[in-house]
Amino acid sequence: YFNLYLLMDNSEFLSYFSNLTENNSQEQILKNANNIINTITFSSSTPITKVEKYKDYLKVTENPSEDLLYTLRRLIGGITSTGLEFRKGFTLTFSLLLTKYGNDLNMSEILNCIQKEGYVPKNERNFIKNSAMSGKLLLYKTLLSHKHLSVDNLLFICKDTLTLSKSSKLLEESVLVLFNDLFNKIFNGYYSQIKKETKLYEGIFKQ
């Protein structure tokens, strides 16, 4: 184990990301994903050297380490990009990161990061827009598989998913899958606090 202060200069660490491509076997992808999670440190008192680069991620937790910020930015940015060959491996790594650190991450800030990374101008090419939108849905689906979301987080996901469904017919099936996951979590009592909240139900059915 070693503490990386400037991951961008560490070729071994960067190679873990490069080897998350679907051209590798599932075993290799899982190995590299675990290497990433086991290498990063979560928090650090060391000042961030690239504040402008990570400005959208600085509030994901208190005193985040630079390697955590790099990892989150690369995963979320990669999943919402056109680099589809990395999507499976990046999503797996994001899921592992949530499993290990989800309780300590500010999920509202994570959702804000997804919004910003997934933003595409209306005049952009359809392929780029569809890649960004489908990547956002995949990130939401991954978040829903973990127990770290508040009522407000769920409402945010619902609203944005509905917006995405109106933007592209190609995403209709993915949207249905996501809502199926969402309502299963809600009505099975997965989020116990929702039983005492009407805001989420009202928010969904007003859309």
Side-chain angles (χ1 to χ4, degrees):
Y1 175 83
F2 53 95
N3 184 7
L4 297 174
Y5 176 54
L6 290 177
L7 285 181
M8 289 61 71
D9 298 327
N10 188 283
S11 58
E12 181 179 5
F13 185 82
L14 295 180
S15 71
Y16 299 152
F17 288 92
S18 301
N19 289 320
L20 290 174
T21 174
E22 62 183 17
N23 293 327
N24 288 325
S25 66
Q26 180 64 28
E27 182 179 357
Q28 289 174 310
I29 292 173
L30 179 59
K31 179 180 178 181
N32 283 285
N34 278 312
N35 283 339
I36 291 170
I37 302 305
N38 293 330
T39 298
I40 63 174
T41 52
F42 185 75
S43 61
S44 174
S45 59
T46 305
I48 303 299
T49 62
K50 298 181 183 293
V51 174
E52 182 63 24
K53 182 175 183 178
Y54 301 120
K55 62 182 180 180
D56 295 331
Y57 290 80
L58 295 176
K59 295 180 181 179
V60 294
T61 191
E62 187 175 354
N63 299 319
S65 67
E66 192 146 352
D67 36 329
L68 173 68
L69 298 180
Y70 175 85
T71 300
L72 281 170
R73 185 173 183 266
R74 183 152 186 189
L75 293 177
I76 295 174
I79 293 169
T80 54
S81 76
T82 57
L84 303 183
E85 70 275 14
F86 287 97
R87 190 166 276 187
K88 179 180 179 181
F90 277 25
T91 302
L92 172 61
T93 308
F94 183 61
S95 181
L96 292 176
L97 190 149
L98 291 175
T99 298
K100 187 170 183 178
Y101 296 120
N103 287 329
D104 300 309
L105 287 170
N106 184 325
M107 287 300 154
S108 294
E109 289 298 321
I110 294 293
L111 287 170
N112 287 335
C113 293
I114 293 173
Q115 279 291 93
K116 290 173 181 177
E117 294 288 357
Y119 171 76
V120 179
K122 290 183 179 180
N123 60 350
E124 187 56 86
R125 288 173 294 170
N126 286 335
F127 173 63
I128 295 177
K129 288 193 289 186
N130 287 331
S131 294
M133 290 188 291
S134 62
K136 287 174 71 176
L137 289 175
L138 187 54
L139 285 162
Y140 292 157
K141 182 174 174 61
T142 305
L143 286 170
L144 286 172
S145 68
H146 296 270
K147 301 181 180 180
H148 311 300
L149 299 176
S150 68
V151 171
D152 285 334
N153 295 155
L154 291 170
L155 182 55
F156 181 97
I157 291 174
C158 285
K159 288 181 176 179
D160 195 45
T161 300
L162 286 168
T163 300
L164 293 174
S165 69
K166 297 171 185 176
S167 302
S168 174
K169 289 188 176 182
L170 295 175
L171 299 177
E172 287 180 352
E173 183 176 349
S174 296
V175 167
L176 288 174
V177 171
L178 183 63
F179 270 114
N180 182 64
D181 288 350
L182 180 59
F183 283 108
N184 278 338
K185 303 301 184 189
I186 294 171
F187 293 114
N188 287 334
Y190 189 83
Y191 298 96
S192 58
Q193 73 269 31
I194 292 176
K195 294 178 180 179
K196 300 178 181 179
E197 292 276 355
T198 59
K199 180 170 55 175
L200 179 64
Y201 297 106
E202 292 173 350
I204 293 172
F205 293 115
K206 283 181 181 178
Q207 303 302 314

